[in-house]
Amino acid sequence: PILTGTEPGQPVGQVPLSQAQPLVLSDNSGLNVSVTLNVTVLVDALAGKSYLTFPVGSTAVHLSAADPSGNTAACVFWVHVQDLEAPQFSNCPLGYSAYAPDSSGVSVTWLNITVSDNDRITNITRSHLSGHIFQPGDTAVTVQAWDASGNTAACIFHVQVTEAGSGDLAGSNSSSSS
Protein backbone atom coordinates (compact mmCIF):
# COMPACT_ATOMS: atom_id res chain seq x y z
CA PRO A 1 0.00 0.00 0.00
CA ILE A 2 0.93 3.64 -0.43
CA LEU A 3 0.34 5.92 2.58
CA THR A 4 0.17 9.71 2.32
CA GLY A 5 -1.37 12.68 4.11
CA THR A 6 -3.65 15.36 2.76
CA GLU A 7 -2.32 18.44 1.04
CA PRO A 8 -2.54 21.56 3.28
CA GLY A 9 -6.09 22.88 3.22
CA GLN A 10 -7.26 20.22 0.75
CA PRO A 11 -9.38 17.05 1.18
CA VAL A 12 -7.01 15.09 -1.08
CA GLY A 13 -3.54 13.58 -0.98
CA GLN A 14 -1.03 13.54 -3.81
CA VAL A 15 1.07 10.52 -4.64
CA PRO A 16 4.16 11.31 -6.69
CA LEU A 17 4.59 8.85 -9.51
CA SER A 18 8.21 8.55 -8.41
CA GLN A 19 6.96 7.06 -5.10
CA ALA A 20 5.32 4.12 -6.88
CA GLN A 21 7.33 1.11 -7.95
CA PRO A 22 8.03 1.13 -11.69
CA LEU A 23 5.57 -1.01 -13.59
CA VAL A 24 7.46 -3.78 -15.35
CA LEU A 25 5.58 -5.82 -17.94
CA SER A 26 6.91 -8.69 -19.91
CA ASP A 27 5.35 -11.16 -22.28
CA ASN A 28 6.83 -14.21 -23.91
CA SER A 29 5.36 -13.22 -27.29
CA GLY A 30 7.74 -10.30 -27.65
CA LEU A 31 4.80 -8.12 -28.74
CA ASN A 32 3.55 -4.94 -27.11
CA VAL A 33 1.39 -5.37 -24.01
CA SER A 34 -1.44 -2.92 -23.32
CA VAL A 35 -2.07 -1.69 -19.76
CA THR A 36 -5.35 -0.41 -18.35
CA LEU A 37 -5.48 1.71 -15.21
CA ASN A 38 -8.91 1.63 -13.56
CA VAL A 39 -9.17 4.11 -10.73
CA THR A 40 -11.90 6.66 -10.08
CA VAL A 41 -9.71 9.58 -9.01
CA LEU A 42 -8.45 12.70 -10.72
CA VAL A 43 -5.42 11.61 -12.71
CA ASP A 44 -3.30 14.75 -12.87
CA ALA A 45 -0.45 12.76 -14.41
CA LEU A 46 -2.41 12.66 -17.65
CA ALA A 47 -2.28 16.47 -17.69
CA GLY A 48 1.51 16.41 -17.68
CA LYS A 49 1.94 16.42 -13.90
CA SER A 50 4.03 13.95 -11.97
CA TYR A 51 1.47 12.87 -9.34
CA LEU A 52 -1.93 11.28 -8.86
CA THR A 53 -4.55 12.83 -6.57
CA PHE A 54 -6.64 10.66 -4.24
CA PRO A 55 -9.45 11.52 -1.79
CA VAL A 56 -9.23 10.99 1.98
CA GLY A 57 -9.67 7.31 2.79
CA SER A 58 -8.63 4.15 0.98
CA THR A 59 -8.76 3.79 -2.80
CA ALA A 60 -8.13 0.57 -4.73
CA VAL A 61 -6.11 1.00 -7.90
CA HIS A 62 -6.69 -1.81 -10.43
CA LEU A 63 -4.17 -2.53 -13.15
CA SER A 64 -4.72 -5.02 -15.93
CA ALA A 65 -2.58 -5.98 -18.89
CA ALA A 66 -3.32 -7.90 -22.07
CA ASP A 67 -1.16 -9.16 -24.89
CA PRO A 68 -2.25 -9.44 -28.54
CA SER A 69 -3.16 -13.11 -27.99
CA GLY A 70 -5.76 -12.18 -25.35
CA ASN A 71 -3.76 -13.35 -22.33
CA THR A 72 -4.40 -11.11 -19.33
CA ALA A 73 -2.96 -10.38 -15.92
CA ALA A 74 -4.23 -8.07 -13.18
CA CYS A 75 -3.16 -6.63 -9.86
CA VAL A 76 -4.59 -4.30 -7.24
CA PHE A 77 -2.84 -1.96 -4.85
CA TRP A 78 -4.25 0.45 -2.31
CA VAL A 79 -3.61 4.13 -1.69
CA HIS A 80 -4.45 5.30 1.84
CA VAL A 81 -4.81 9.07 2.36
CA GLN A 82 -4.94 10.22 5.98
CA ASP A 83 -6.30 13.60 7.05
CA LEU A 84 -4.04 14.78 9.87
CA GLU A 85 -5.08 18.43 9.64
CA ALA A 86 -7.08 19.75 12.60
CA PRO A 87 -10.04 22.11 12.13
CA GLN A 88 -9.18 25.83 12.13
CA PHE A 89 -11.05 28.57 14.03
CA SER A 90 -11.70 32.15 12.92
CA ASN A 91 -12.70 34.95 15.30
CA CYS A 92 -11.54 33.09 18.43
CA PRO A 93 -11.36 35.92 20.97
CA LEU A 94 -8.49 36.41 23.39
CA GLY A 95 -10.94 37.04 26.24
CA TYR A 96 -13.46 39.50 27.63
CA SER A 97 -13.85 41.65 30.72
CA ALA A 98 -17.28 42.95 31.68
CA TYR A 99 -18.79 44.97 34.52
CA ALA A 100 -22.00 43.68 36.12
CA PRO A 101 -24.19 46.15 38.04
CA ASP A 102 -25.12 43.41 40.55
CA SER A 103 -24.70 39.71 41.31
CA SER A 104 -27.24 38.68 38.64
CA GLY A 105 -24.47 38.92 36.03
CA VAL A 106 -24.21 40.47 32.61
CA SER A 107 -24.77 39.40 28.99
CA VAL A 108 -21.51 39.13 27.07
CA THR A 109 -21.51 38.92 23.27
CA TRP A 110 -18.76 38.18 20.78
CA LEU A 111 -18.32 37.81 17.04
CA ASN A 112 -19.48 34.56 15.49
CA ILE A 113 -16.72 31.99 15.97
CA THR A 114 -16.40 30.00 12.75
CA VAL A 115 -14.59 26.76 12.01
CA SER A 116 -13.26 25.36 8.75
CA ASP A 117 -11.46 22.19 7.75
CA ASN A 118 -9.85 20.61 4.71
CA ASP A 119 -12.37 17.77 5.01
CA ARG A 120 -15.82 17.66 6.61
CA ILE A 121 -16.69 19.06 10.08
CA THR A 122 -18.80 16.44 11.89
CA ASN A 123 -19.42 18.02 15.29
CA ILE A 124 -19.15 21.37 17.06
CA THR A 125 -19.81 21.89 20.77
CA ARG A 126 -20.02 25.19 22.67
CA SER A 127 -19.90 25.55 26.44
CA HIS A 128 -21.59 28.98 26.20
CA LEU A 129 -23.24 30.96 23.43
CA SER A 130 -22.68 34.62 22.62
CA GLY A 131 -25.18 36.63 24.68
CA HIS A 132 -25.01 34.25 27.65
CA ILE A 133 -25.49 35.80 31.11
CA PHE A 134 -22.18 35.44 32.94
CA GLN A 135 -22.06 35.63 36.74
CA PRO A 136 -19.30 37.59 38.49
CA GLY A 137 -15.99 35.76 38.36
CA ASP A 138 -13.90 34.03 35.73
CA THR A 139 -15.57 31.64 33.26
CA ALA A 140 -13.78 29.58 30.62
CA VAL A 141 -15.64 29.40 27.30
CA THR A 142 -14.81 26.43 25.03
CA VAL A 143 -15.80 25.82 21.41
CA GLN A 144 -14.60 22.45 20.14
CA ALA A 145 -14.79 20.98 16.63
CA TRP A 146 -14.17 17.52 15.14
CA ASP A 147 -13.69 16.55 11.52
CA ALA A 148 -14.58 13.33 9.71
CA SER A 149 -11.13 11.87 10.41
CA GLY A 150 -11.39 12.43 14.16
CA ASN A 151 -9.07 15.45 14.29
CA THR A 152 -10.14 17.98 16.89
CA ALA A 153 -9.37 21.59 17.80
CA ALA A 154 -10.62 23.97 20.45
CA CYS A 155 -11.09 27.72 20.82
CA ILE A 156 -10.82 28.58 24.53
CA PHE A 157 -11.12 32.03 26.06
CA HIS A 158 -12.08 33.49 29.44
CA VAL A 159 -14.84 35.91 30.40
CA GLN A 160 -14.02 37.90 33.55
CA VAL A 161 -17.05 39.61 35.12
CA THR A 162 -16.59 42.11 37.93
CA GLU A 163 -19.57 43.03 40.13
CA ALA A 164 -20.28 46.64 41.13
CA GLY A 165 -19.06 47.42 44.61
CA SER A 166 -16.50 44.61 44.61
CA GLY A 167 -13.65 47.11 44.69
CA ASP A 168 -12.15 45.63 41.50
CA LEU A 169 -13.12 47.69 38.47
CA ALA A 170 -11.10 45.69 35.96
CA GLY A 171 -14.07 45.35 33.66
CA SER A 172 -15.50 47.90 31.26
CA ASN A 173 -18.02 50.53 32.34
CA SER A 174 -20.84 49.09 30.25
CA SER A 175 -23.24 46.27 30.95
CA SER A 176 -21.98 44.12 28.09
CA SER A 177 -18.83 43.41 26.13
CA SER A 178 -18.41 42.54 22.47
Side-chain angles (χ1 to χ4, degrees), residues 95-102 105-110 132-138 158-164 166 168-178:
Y96 287 96
S97 294
Y99 177 73
D102 55 41
V106 63
S107 173
V108 178
T109 60
W110 50 83
H132 179 83
I133 303 294
F134 289 86
Q135 304 302 313
D138 182 67
H158 288 259
V159 174
Q160 178 68 47
V161 175
T162 305
E163 182 182 346
S166 69
D168 181 7
L169 297 178
S172 66
N173 289 328
S174 66
S175 62
S176 67
S177 176
S178 59

Short mmCIF file of all heavy atoms in Angstrom, two decimals, residues 95-102 105-110 132-138 158-164 166 168-178:
data_model
loop_
_atom_site.label_atom_id
_atom_site.label_comp_id
_atom_site.label_asym_id
_atom_site.label_seq_id
_atom_site.Cartn_x
_atom_site.Cartn_y
_atom_site.Cartn_z
N GLY A 95 -10.24 37.01 24.96
CA GLY A 95 -10.94 37.04 26.24
C GLY A 95 -11.76 38.30 26.36
O GLY A 95 -11.67 39.20 25.51
N TYR A 96 -12.59 38.34 27.40
CA TYR A 96 -13.46 39.50 27.63
C TYR A 96 -13.48 39.85 29.10
O TYR A 96 -13.43 38.96 29.95
CB TYR A 96 -14.90 39.21 27.18
CG TYR A 96 -15.06 39.18 25.68
CD1 TYR A 96 -15.02 37.98 24.99
CD2 TYR A 96 -15.21 40.35 24.96
CE1 TYR A 96 -15.15 37.95 23.62
CE2 TYR A 96 -15.34 40.34 23.58
CZ TYR A 96 -15.31 39.13 22.92
OH TYR A 96 -15.43 39.11 21.57
N SER A 97 -13.60 41.14 29.37
CA SER A 97 -13.85 41.65 30.72
C SER A 97 -15.14 42.43 30.64
O SER A 97 -15.37 43.17 29.69
CB SER A 97 -12.73 42.56 31.19
OG SER A 97 -11.53 41.84 31.35
N ALA A 98 -16.00 42.24 31.66
CA ALA A 98 -17.28 42.95 31.68
C ALA A 98 -17.59 43.37 33.11
O ALA A 98 -17.13 42.76 34.07
CB ALA A 98 -18.39 42.05 31.12
N TYR A 99 -18.39 44.42 33.22
CA TYR A 99 -18.79 44.97 34.52
C TYR A 99 -20.27 44.66 34.70
O TYR A 99 -21.09 44.97 33.85
CB TYR A 99 -18.54 46.49 34.51
CG TYR A 99 -18.97 47.19 35.76
CD1 TYR A 99 -18.25 47.06 36.94
CD2 TYR A 99 -20.10 48.00 35.75
CE1 TYR A 99 -18.66 47.73 38.08
CE2 TYR A 99 -20.50 48.67 36.89
CZ TYR A 99 -19.78 48.52 38.06
OH TYR A 99 -20.18 49.18 39.18
N ALA A 100 -20.61 44.01 35.82
CA ALA A 100 -22.00 43.68 36.12
C ALA A 100 -22.50 44.62 37.21
O ALA A 100 -21.83 44.80 38.22
CB ALA A 100 -22.12 42.24 36.59
N PRO A 101 -23.69 45.22 37.04
CA PRO A 101 -24.19 46.15 38.04
C PRO A 101 -24.55 45.47 39.37
O PRO A 101 -24.58 46.12 40.41
CB PRO A 101 -25.43 46.76 37.39
CG PRO A 101 -25.80 45.83 36.28
CD PRO A 101 -24.55 45.12 35.89
N ASP A 102 -24.80 44.14 39.32
CA ASP A 102 -25.12 43.41 40.55
C ASP A 102 -24.75 41.94 40.36
O ASP A 102 -24.19 41.54 39.35
CB ASP A 102 -26.61 43.57 40.91
CG ASP A 102 -27.54 43.16 39.77
OD1 ASP A 102 -27.25 42.13 39.11
OD2 ASP A 102 -28.54 43.86 39.54
N GLY A 105 -25.33 39.14 37.18
CA GLY A 105 -24.47 38.92 36.03
C GLY A 105 -24.74 39.88 34.89
O GLY A 105 -25.49 40.85 35.02
N VAL A 106 -24.13 39.59 33.76
CA VAL A 106 -24.21 40.47 32.61
C VAL A 106 -24.14 39.62 31.33
O VAL A 106 -23.47 38.59 31.30
CB VAL A 106 -23.09 41.53 32.63
CG1 VAL A 106 -21.72 40.89 32.56
CG2 VAL A 106 -23.27 42.56 31.54
N SER A 107 -24.84 40.06 30.29
CA SER A 107 -24.77 39.40 28.99
C SER A 107 -23.49 39.82 28.28
O SER A 107 -23.20 41.02 28.18
CB SER A 107 -26.00 39.79 28.15
OG SER A 107 -25.87 39.29 26.85
N VAL A 108 -22.75 38.85 27.80
CA VAL A 108 -21.51 39.13 27.07
C VAL A 108 -21.66 38.54 25.67
O VAL A 108 -22.03 37.38 25.50
CB VAL A 108 -20.28 38.52 27.77
CG1 VAL A 108 -19.02 38.77 26.97
CG2 VAL A 108 -20.15 39.08 29.19
N THR A 109 -21.40 39.37 24.66
CA THR A 109 -21.51 38.92 23.27
C THR A 109 -20.16 39.00 22.58
O THR A 109 -19.29 39.80 22.97
CB THR A 109 -22.53 39.77 22.48
OG1 THR A 109 -22.11 41.13 22.50
CG2 THR A 109 -23.93 39.66 23.09
N TRP A 110 -19.98 38.18 21.58
CA TRP A 110 -18.76 38.18 20.78
C TRP A 110 -19.10 37.86 19.34
O TRP A 110 -20.21 37.43 19.03
CB TRP A 110 -17.73 37.17 21.33
CG TRP A 110 -18.25 35.79 21.57
CD1 TRP A 110 -18.41 34.79 20.66
CD2 TRP A 110 -18.70 35.25 22.81
NE1 TRP A 110 -18.91 33.67 21.25
CE2 TRP A 110 -19.11 33.93 22.59
CE3 TRP A 110 -18.80 35.77 24.11
CZ2 TRP A 110 -19.60 33.11 23.59
CZ3 TRP A 110 -19.29 34.94 25.11
CH2 TRP A 110 -19.68 33.64 24.85
N HIS A 132 -24.78 34.95 26.39
CA HIS A 132 -25.01 34.25 27.65
C HIS A 132 -24.87 35.23 28.83
O HIS A 132 -24.08 36.17 28.77
CB HIS A 132 -24.00 33.10 27.78
CG HIS A 132 -24.10 32.31 29.03
ND1 HIS A 132 -24.99 31.28 29.18
CD2 HIS A 132 -23.42 32.39 30.21
CE1 HIS A 132 -24.86 30.75 30.38
NE2 HIS A 132 -23.92 31.41 31.02
N ILE A 133 -25.62 35.01 29.88
CA ILE A 133 -25.49 35.80 31.11
C ILE A 133 -24.38 35.17 31.95
O ILE A 133 -24.50 34.03 32.40
CB ILE A 133 -26.81 35.83 31.93
CG1 ILE A 133 -27.96 36.36 31.08
CG2 ILE A 133 -26.61 36.64 33.22
CD1 ILE A 133 -27.82 37.81 30.68
N PHE A 134 -23.30 35.92 32.14
CA PHE A 134 -22.18 35.44 32.94
C PHE A 134 -22.25 36.05 34.33
O PHE A 134 -22.43 37.26 34.49
CB PHE A 134 -20.85 35.82 32.26
CG PHE A 134 -20.58 35.03 31.01
CD1 PHE A 134 -21.07 35.44 29.79
CD2 PHE A 134 -19.83 33.86 31.08
CE1 PHE A 134 -20.82 34.70 28.63
CE2 PHE A 134 -19.58 33.12 29.93
CZ PHE A 134 -20.07 33.54 28.71
N GLN A 135 -22.08 35.20 35.34
CA GLN A 135 -22.06 35.63 36.74
C GLN A 135 -20.70 36.25 37.05
O GLN A 135 -19.71 35.98 36.35
CB GLN A 135 -22.32 34.44 37.66
CG GLN A 135 -23.62 33.70 37.38
CD GLN A 135 -24.83 34.60 37.48
OE1 GLN A 135 -24.97 35.37 38.44
NE2 GLN A 135 -25.70 34.54 36.48
N PRO A 136 -20.61 37.04 38.11
CA PRO A 136 -19.30 37.59 38.49
C PRO A 136 -18.28 36.48 38.72
O PRO A 136 -18.60 35.41 39.23
CB PRO A 136 -19.61 38.33 39.79
CG PRO A 136 -21.04 38.74 39.64
CD PRO A 136 -21.69 37.58 38.94
N GLY A 137 -17.07 36.73 38.26
CA GLY A 137 -15.99 35.76 38.36
C GLY A 137 -15.40 35.47 37.00
O GLY A 137 -15.67 36.15 36.01
N ASP A 138 -14.59 34.43 36.95
CA ASP A 138 -13.90 34.03 35.73
C ASP A 138 -14.56 32.76 35.18
O ASP A 138 -14.72 31.79 35.91
CB ASP A 138 -12.41 33.76 36.02
CG ASP A 138 -11.65 33.40 34.77
OD1 ASP A 138 -11.50 34.27 33.89
OD2 ASP A 138 -11.22 32.23 34.67
N HIS A 158 -11.49 33.25 28.11
CA HIS A 158 -12.08 33.49 29.44
C HIS A 158 -12.90 34.77 29.43
O HIS A 158 -12.53 35.75 28.79
CB HIS A 158 -10.99 33.58 30.51
CG HIS A 158 -10.36 32.26 30.79
ND1 HIS A 158 -10.69 31.52 31.89
CD2 HIS A 158 -9.44 31.53 30.10
CE1 HIS A 158 -10.00 30.39 31.88
NE2 HIS A 158 -9.24 30.38 30.80
N VAL A 159 -14.01 34.73 30.17
CA VAL A 159 -14.84 35.91 30.40
C VAL A 159 -14.72 36.25 31.89
O VAL A 159 -15.04 35.42 32.75
CB VAL A 159 -16.32 35.64 30.02
CG1 VAL A 159 -17.19 36.84 30.40
CG2 VAL A 159 -16.44 35.34 28.53
N GLN A 160 -14.20 37.44 32.17
CA GLN A 160 -14.02 37.90 33.55
C GLN A 160 -15.08 38.96 33.83
O GLN A 160 -15.08 40.02 33.19
CB GLN A 160 -12.61 38.49 33.73
CG GLN A 160 -12.34 39.03 35.11
CD GLN A 160 -12.28 37.92 36.16
OE1 GLN A 160 -11.62 36.91 35.96
NE2 GLN A 160 -12.97 38.11 37.25
N VAL A 161 -15.98 38.67 34.76
CA VAL A 161 -17.05 39.61 35.12
C VAL A 161 -16.78 40.13 36.52
O VAL A 161 -16.58 39.35 37.46
CB VAL A 161 -18.44 38.94 35.04
CG1 VAL A 161 -19.52 39.90 35.52
CG2 VAL A 161 -18.72 38.47 33.61
N THR A 162 -16.78 41.45 36.65
CA THR A 162 -16.59 42.11 37.93
C THR A 162 -17.91 42.74 38.35
O THR A 162 -18.55 43.45 37.57
CB THR A 162 -15.49 43.20 37.81
OG1 THR A 162 -14.31 42.58 37.30
CG2 THR A 162 -15.22 43.85 39.14
N GLU A 163 -18.30 42.50 39.61
CA GLU A 163 -19.57 43.03 40.13
C GLU A 163 -19.34 44.42 40.72
O GLU A 163 -18.31 44.68 41.35
CB GLU A 163 -20.09 42.09 41.21
CG GLU A 163 -21.42 42.52 41.80
CD GLU A 163 -21.89 41.59 42.89
OE1 GLU A 163 -21.35 40.47 43.03
OE2 GLU A 163 -22.81 41.99 43.62
N ALA A 164 -20.35 45.30 40.55
CA ALA A 164 -20.28 46.64 41.13
C ALA A 164 -20.11 46.54 42.64
O ALA A 164 -20.69 45.68 43.29
CB ALA A 164 -21.56 47.41 40.81
N SER A 166 -17.46 45.62 44.18
CA SER A 166 -16.50 44.61 44.61
C SER A 166 -15.13 45.22 44.89
O SER A 166 -14.26 44.54 45.42
CB SER A 166 -16.37 43.51 43.55
OG SER A 166 -15.73 44.03 42.40
N ASP A 168 -13.00 45.94 42.65
CA ASP A 168 -12.15 45.63 41.50
C ASP A 168 -12.88 46.06 40.25
O ASP A 168 -13.83 45.43 39.82
CB ASP A 168 -11.86 44.12 41.45
CG ASP A 168 -10.96 43.76 40.27
OD1 ASP A 168 -10.46 44.67 39.58
OD2 ASP A 168 -10.77 42.55 40.06
N LEU A 169 -12.46 47.16 39.66
CA LEU A 169 -13.12 47.69 38.47
C LEU A 169 -12.33 47.34 37.22
O LEU A 169 -12.11 48.17 36.35
CB LEU A 169 -13.31 49.19 38.60
CG LEU A 169 -14.21 49.64 39.75
CD1 LEU A 169 -14.28 51.16 39.81
CD2 LEU A 169 -15.59 49.05 39.62
N ALA A 170 -11.89 46.10 37.12
CA ALA A 170 -11.10 45.69 35.96
C ALA A 170 -11.91 45.62 34.69
O ALA A 170 -11.40 45.69 33.59
CB ALA A 170 -10.45 44.32 36.21
N GLY A 171 -13.21 45.48 34.82
CA GLY A 171 -14.07 45.35 33.66
C GLY A 171 -14.36 46.69 33.02
O GLY A 171 -13.96 47.74 33.50
N SER A 172 -15.12 46.67 31.94
CA SER A 172 -15.50 47.90 31.26
C SER A 172 -16.62 48.58 32.04
O SER A 172 -17.17 48.03 32.98
CB SER A 172 -15.97 47.58 29.84
OG SER A 172 -17.16 46.82 29.89
N ASN A 173 -16.98 49.78 31.66
CA ASN A 173 -18.02 50.53 32.34
C ASN A 173 -19.39 50.34 31.70
O ASN A 173 -20.30 51.11 31.94
CB ASN A 173 -17.68 52.03 32.36
CG ASN A 173 -16.51 52.29 33.30
OD1 ASN A 173 -16.37 51.60 34.30
ND2 ASN A 173 -15.68 53.26 32.97
N SER A 174 -19.55 49.34 30.86
CA SER A 174 -20.84 49.09 30.25
C SER A 174 -21.37 47.76 30.76
O SER A 174 -20.67 47.00 31.41
CB SER A 174 -20.72 49.05 28.72
OG SER A 174 -19.96 47.94 28.35
N SER A 175 -22.63 47.49 30.45
CA SER A 175 -23.24 46.27 30.95
C SER A 175 -22.99 45.08 30.06
O SER A 175 -23.44 43.98 30.35
CB SER A 175 -24.74 46.48 31.15
OG SER A 175 -25.34 46.77 29.90
N SER A 176 -22.30 45.26 28.94
CA SER A 176 -21.98 44.12 28.09
C SER A 176 -20.68 44.39 27.38
O SER A 176 -20.21 45.51 27.30
CB SER A 176 -23.09 43.83 27.08
OG SER A 176 -23.17 44.88 26.15
N SER A 177 -20.09 43.33 26.86
CA SER A 177 -18.83 43.41 26.13
C SER A 177 -19.00 42.71 24.80
O SER A 177 -19.72 41.75 24.69
CB SER A 177 -17.72 42.73 26.96
OG SER A 177 -16.53 42.72 26.24
N SER A 178 -18.33 43.21 23.77
CA SER A 178 -18.41 42.54 22.47
C SER A 178 -17.08 42.52 21.81
O SER A 178 -16.18 43.16 22.17
CB SER A 178 -19.45 43.19 21.58
OG SER A 178 -19.14 44.55 21.38
#
